[in-house]
Amino acid sequence: QVQLVESGGGLVQPGGSLRLSCAASGFTFSSYYMGWYRQAPGKQRELVAGIPSGGRTNYADSVKGRFAISRDNPKNTVYLQMNSLKPEDTAVYYCNAHRATPAGTNDYWGQGTQVTVSS
């Protein structure tokens, strides 16, 4: 059974930091591209940061220089370190696992964790 379980969300003041974690199970974690997405009320879900098993990370322009994605393959976990948080970072953050093969595409999602940036 595939599971992605996010943790680490919460309420933080502007300028503060949070570290999100996503623990994966039920699939070969190291073979998947891992991403963090977010969805604010009334807006579409957007990719915040992504990391392949090997290779370069990528970030949305709005978070470059403030957020850092990393992964620990032996622990089947992906992280999102969020610094210098702004009110516009408020959203539900989702962990995603993605793999494309000749046979098709697999996408798995976590349940989401709320991040609220407010004074």
Side-chain angles (χ1 to χ4, degrees):
Q1 181 182 0
V2 172
Q3 281 193 311
L4 293 173
V5 180
E6 300 104 333
S7 60
L11 173 64
V12 63
Q13 292 186 341
S17 298
L18 284 175
R19 189 193 195 204
L20 304 184
S21 299
C22 172
S25 61
F27 62 97
T28 306
F29 180 81
S30 60
S31 297
Y32 280 69
Y33 181 95
M34 298 301 298
W36 285 98
Y37 287 72
R38 66 185 180 188
Q39 187 166 20
K43 294 188 176 181
Q44 289 190 328
R45 190 173 296 190
E46 63 173 352
L47 177 65
V48 175
I51 182 168
S53 186
R56 296 182 66 177
T57 55
N58 64 286
Y59 297 92
D61 287 343
S62 59
V63 307
K64 282 180 181 177
R66 300 188 297 122
F67 290 12
I69 188 171
S70 61
R71 65 190 294 164
D72 186 334
N73 285 344
K75 293 184 178 180
N76 288 357
T77 303
V78 62
Y79 305 96
L80 185 67
Q81 178 67 45
M82 305 185 295
N83 300 324
S84 302
L85 282 160
K86 304 175 181 180
E88 51 264 44
D89 294 318
T90 295
V92 178
Y93 284 71
Y94 297 91
C95 177
N96 169 260
H98 174 79
R99 185 186 182 199
T101 70
T105 299
N106 289 337
D107 268 291
Y108 305 126
W109 292 91
Q111 81 288 350
T113 185
Q114 176 70 46
V115 171
T116 302
V117 185
S118 175
S119 55

PDB file of all heavy atoms in Angstrom, residues 2-20:
ATOM      1  N   VAL A   2       0.660   2.102  -0.984  1.00  0.00           N
ATOM      2  CA  VAL A   2       1.443   3.330  -1.100  1.00  0.00           C
ATOM      3  C   VAL A   2       0.962   4.355  -0.076  1.00  0.00           C
ATOM      4  O   VAL A   2      -0.239   4.586   0.083  1.00  0.00           O
ATOM      5  CB  VAL A   2       1.318   3.915  -2.510  1.00  0.00           C
ATOM      6  CG1 VAL A   2       1.975   5.288  -2.590  1.00  0.00           C
ATOM      7  CG2 VAL A   2       1.952   2.971  -3.537  1.00  0.00           C
ATOM      8  N   GLN A   3       1.922   4.946   0.613  1.00  0.00           N
ATOM      9  CA  GLN A   3       1.599   6.024   1.545  1.00  0.00           C
ATOM     10  C   GLN A   3       2.628   7.132   1.444  1.00  0.00           C
ATOM     11  O   GLN A   3       3.829   6.871   1.348  1.00  0.00           O
ATOM     12  CB  GLN A   3       1.563   5.509   2.987  1.00  0.00           C
ATOM     13  CG  GLN A   3       0.287   4.783   3.366  1.00  0.00           C
ATOM     14  CD  GLN A   3       0.176   4.579   4.863  1.00  0.00           C
ATOM     15  OE1 GLN A   3       1.114   4.112   5.499  1.00  0.00           O
ATOM     16  NE2 GLN A   3      -0.969   4.926   5.429  1.00  0.00           N
ATOM     17  N   LEU A   4       2.142   8.353   1.476  1.00  0.00           N
ATOM     18  CA  LEU A   4       2.975   9.546   1.621  1.00  0.00           C
ATOM     19  C   LEU A   4       2.381  10.321   2.792  1.00  0.00           C
ATOM     20  O   LEU A   4       1.233  10.745   2.725  1.00  0.00           O
ATOM     21  CB  LEU A   4       2.965  10.401   0.358  1.00  0.00           C
ATOM     22  CG  LEU A   4       3.603   9.818  -0.898  1.00  0.00           C
ATOM     23  CD1 LEU A   4       3.358  10.733  -2.092  1.00  0.00           C
ATOM     24  CD2 LEU A   4       5.094   9.622  -0.696  1.00  0.00           C
ATOM     25  N   VAL A   5       3.175  10.495   3.828  1.00  0.00           N
ATOM     26  CA  VAL A   5       2.673  11.137   5.038  1.00  0.00           C
ATOM     27  C   VAL A   5       3.490  12.383   5.323  1.00  0.00           C
ATOM     28  O   VAL A   5       4.674  12.309   5.654  1.00  0.00           O
ATOM     29  CB  VAL A   5       2.717  10.177   6.239  1.00  0.00           C
ATOM     30  CG1 VAL A   5       2.180  10.871   7.488  1.00  0.00           C
ATOM     31  CG2 VAL A   5       1.933   8.908   5.944  1.00  0.00           C
ATOM     32  N   GLU A   6       2.832  13.539   5.169  1.00  0.00           N
ATOM     33  CA  GLU A   6       3.506  14.816   5.424  1.00  0.00           C
ATOM     34  C   GLU A   6       3.391  15.195   6.897  1.00  0.00           C
ATOM     35  O   GLU A   6       2.417  14.842   7.566  1.00  0.00           O
ATOM     36  CB  GLU A   6       2.898  15.945   4.589  1.00  0.00           C
ATOM     37  CG  GLU A   6       2.956  15.755   3.090  1.00  0.00           C
ATOM     38  CD  GLU A   6       1.625  15.351   2.502  1.00  0.00           C
ATOM     39  OE1 GLU A   6       0.828  14.736   3.255  1.00  0.00           O
ATOM     40  OE2 GLU A   6       1.368  15.634   1.318  1.00  0.00           O
ATOM     41  N   SER A   7       4.374  15.944   7.353  1.00  0.00           N
ATOM     42  CA  SER A   7       4.349  16.489   8.704  1.00  0.00           C
ATOM     43  C   SER A   7       5.176  17.767   8.729  1.00  0.00           C
ATOM     44  O   SER A   7       5.941  18.042   7.790  1.00  0.00           O
ATOM     45  CB  SER A   7       4.893  15.477   9.725  1.00  0.00           C
ATOM     46  OG  SER A   7       6.225  15.134   9.418  1.00  0.00           O
ATOM     47  N   GLY A   8       5.006  18.544   9.802  1.00  0.00           N
ATOM     48  CA  GLY A   8       5.826  19.733   9.987  1.00  0.00           C
ATOM     49  C   GLY A   8       5.140  21.047   9.707  1.00  0.00           C
ATOM     50  O   GLY A   8       5.739  22.111   9.913  1.00  0.00           O
ATOM     51  N   GLY A   9       3.922  21.009   9.229  1.00  0.00           N
ATOM     52  CA  GLY A   9       3.207  22.253   8.979  1.00  0.00           C
ATOM     53  C   GLY A   9       2.784  22.914  10.278  1.00  0.00           C
ATOM     54  O   GLY A   9       2.936  22.366  11.360  1.00  0.00           O
ATOM     55  N   GLY A  10       2.249  24.136  10.138  1.00  0.00           N
ATOM     56  CA  GLY A  10       1.797  24.845  11.329  1.00  0.00           C
ATOM     57  C   GLY A  10       1.675  26.328  11.074  1.00  0.00           C
ATOM     58  O   GLY A  10       1.708  26.785   9.929  1.00  0.00           O
ATOM     59  N   LEU A  11       1.558  27.060  12.169  1.00  0.00           N
ATOM     60  CA  LEU A  11       1.445  28.513  12.129  1.00  0.00           C
ATOM     61  C   LEU A  11       2.801  29.122  12.457  1.00  0.00           C
ATOM     62  O   LEU A  11       3.429  28.744  13.458  1.00  0.00           O
ATOM     63  CB  LEU A  11       0.399  28.982  13.137  1.00  0.00           C
ATOM     64  CG  LEU A  11       0.258  30.491  13.350  1.00  0.00           C
ATOM     65  CD1 LEU A  11      -0.221  31.176  12.078  1.00  0.00           C
ATOM     66  CD2 LEU A  11      -0.693  30.772  14.516  1.00  0.00           C
ATOM     67  N   VAL A  12       3.236  30.051  11.625  1.00  0.00           N
ATOM     68  CA  VAL A  12       4.530  30.698  11.839  1.00  0.00           C
ATOM     69  C   VAL A  12       4.401  32.173  11.481  1.00  0.00           C
ATOM     70  O   VAL A  12       3.598  32.544  10.607  1.00  0.00           O
ATOM     71  CB  VAL A  12       5.630  30.006  10.992  1.00  0.00           C
ATOM     72  CG1 VAL A  12       5.351  30.144   9.509  1.00  0.00           C
ATOM     73  CG2 VAL A  12       7.013  30.513  11.350  1.00  0.00           C
ATOM     74  N   GLN A  13       5.178  33.009  12.127  1.00  0.00           N
ATOM     75  CA  GLN A  13       5.172  34.436  11.832  1.00  0.00           C
ATOM     76  C   GLN A  13       5.960  34.736  10.562  1.00  0.00           C
ATOM     77  O   GLN A  13       6.873  33.974  10.203  1.00  0.00           O
ATOM     78  CB  GLN A  13       5.761  35.216  12.998  1.00  0.00           C
ATOM     79  CG  GLN A  13       4.907  35.187  14.253  1.00  0.00           C
ATOM     80  CD  GLN A  13       5.458  36.106  15.331  1.00  0.00           C
ATOM     81  OE1 GLN A  13       6.621  36.492  15.305  1.00  0.00           O
ATOM     82  NE2 GLN A  13       4.612  36.464  16.280  1.00  0.00           N
ATOM     83  N   PRO A  14       5.639  35.814   9.896  1.00  0.00           N
ATOM     84  CA  PRO A  14       6.438  36.211   8.722  1.00  0.00           C
ATOM     85  C   PRO A  14       7.909  36.315   9.082  1.00  0.00           C
ATOM     86  O   PRO A  14       8.271  36.832  10.144  1.00  0.00           O
ATOM     87  CB  PRO A  14       5.852  37.580   8.353  1.00  0.00           C
ATOM     88  CG  PRO A  14       4.443  37.523   8.831  1.00  0.00           C
ATOM     89  CD  PRO A  14       4.488  36.719  10.106  1.00  0.00           C
ATOM     90  N   GLY A  15       8.737  35.800   8.190  1.00  0.00           N
ATOM     91  CA  GLY A  15      10.176  35.756   8.432  1.00  0.00           C
ATOM     92  C   GLY A  15      10.645  34.496   9.124  1.00  0.00           C
ATOM     93  O   GLY A  15      11.853  34.257   9.227  1.00  0.00           O
ATOM     94  N   GLY A  16       9.720  33.700   9.587  1.00  0.00           N
ATOM     95  CA  GLY A  16      10.078  32.472  10.291  1.00  0.00           C
ATOM     96  C   GLY A  16      10.383  31.314   9.360  1.00  0.00           C
ATOM     97  O   GLY A  16      10.401  31.467   8.125  1.00  0.00           O
ATOM     98  N   SER A  17      10.620  30.161   9.969  1.00  0.00           N
ATOM     99  CA  SER A  17      11.010  28.961   9.216  1.00  0.00           C
ATOM    100  C   SER A  17      10.178  27.764   9.641  1.00  0.00           C
ATOM    101  O   SER A  17       9.716  27.688  10.784  1.00  0.00           O
ATOM    102  CB  SER A  17      12.491  28.645   9.452  1.00  0.00           C
ATOM    103  OG  SER A  17      13.327  29.690   9.000  1.00  0.00           O
ATOM    104  N   LEU A  18      10.020  26.859   8.710  1.00  0.00           N
ATOM    105  CA  LEU A  18       9.412  25.557   8.965  1.00  0.00           C
ATOM    106  C   LEU A  18      10.134  24.519   8.129  1.00  0.00           C
ATOM    107  O   LEU A  18      10.658  24.828   7.049  1.00  0.00           O
ATOM    108  CB  LEU A  18       7.926  25.543   8.601  1.00  0.00           C
ATOM    109  CG  LEU A  18       6.910  26.213   9.519  1.00  0.00           C
ATOM    110  CD1 LEU A  18       5.532  26.185   8.882  1.00  0.00           C
ATOM    111  CD2 LEU A  18       6.883  25.548  10.887  1.00  0.00           C
ATOM    112  N   ARG A  19      10.115  23.295   8.604  1.00  0.00           N
ATOM    113  CA  ARG A  19      10.666  22.175   7.843  1.00  0.00           C
ATOM    114  C   ARG A  19       9.585  21.109   7.698  1.00  0.00           C
ATOM    115  O   ARG A  19       9.129  20.552   8.695  1.00  0.00           O
ATOM    116  CB  ARG A  19      11.882  21.582   8.535  1.00  0.00           C
ATOM    117  CG  ARG A  19      12.614  20.554   7.687  1.00  0.00           C
ATOM    118  CD  ARG A  19      13.603  19.774   8.514  1.00  0.00           C
ATOM    119  NE  ARG A  19      14.569  19.037   7.704  1.00  0.00           N
ATOM    120  CZ  ARG A  19      15.218  17.957   8.113  1.00  0.00           C
ATOM    121  NH1 ARG A  19      14.997  17.497   9.327  1.00  0.00           N
ATOM    122  NH2 ARG A  19      16.086  17.353   7.321  1.00  0.00           N
ATOM    123  N   LEU A  20       9.208  20.876   6.454  1.00  0.00           N
ATOM    124  CA  LEU A  20       8.231  19.837   6.161  1.00  0.00           C
ATOM    125  C   LEU A  20       8.952  18.527   5.866  1.00  0.00           C
ATOM    126  O   LEU A  20      10.038  18.522   5.269  1.00  0.00           O
ATOM    127  CB  LEU A  20       7.375  20.219   4.958  1.00  0.00           C
ATOM    128  CG  LEU A  20       6.632  21.553   5.021  1.00  0.00           C
ATOM    129  CD1 LEU A  20       5.761  21.722   3.775  1.00  0.00           C
ATOM    130  CD2 LEU A  20       5.803  21.677   6.278  1.00  0.00           C
TER     131      LEU A  20
END
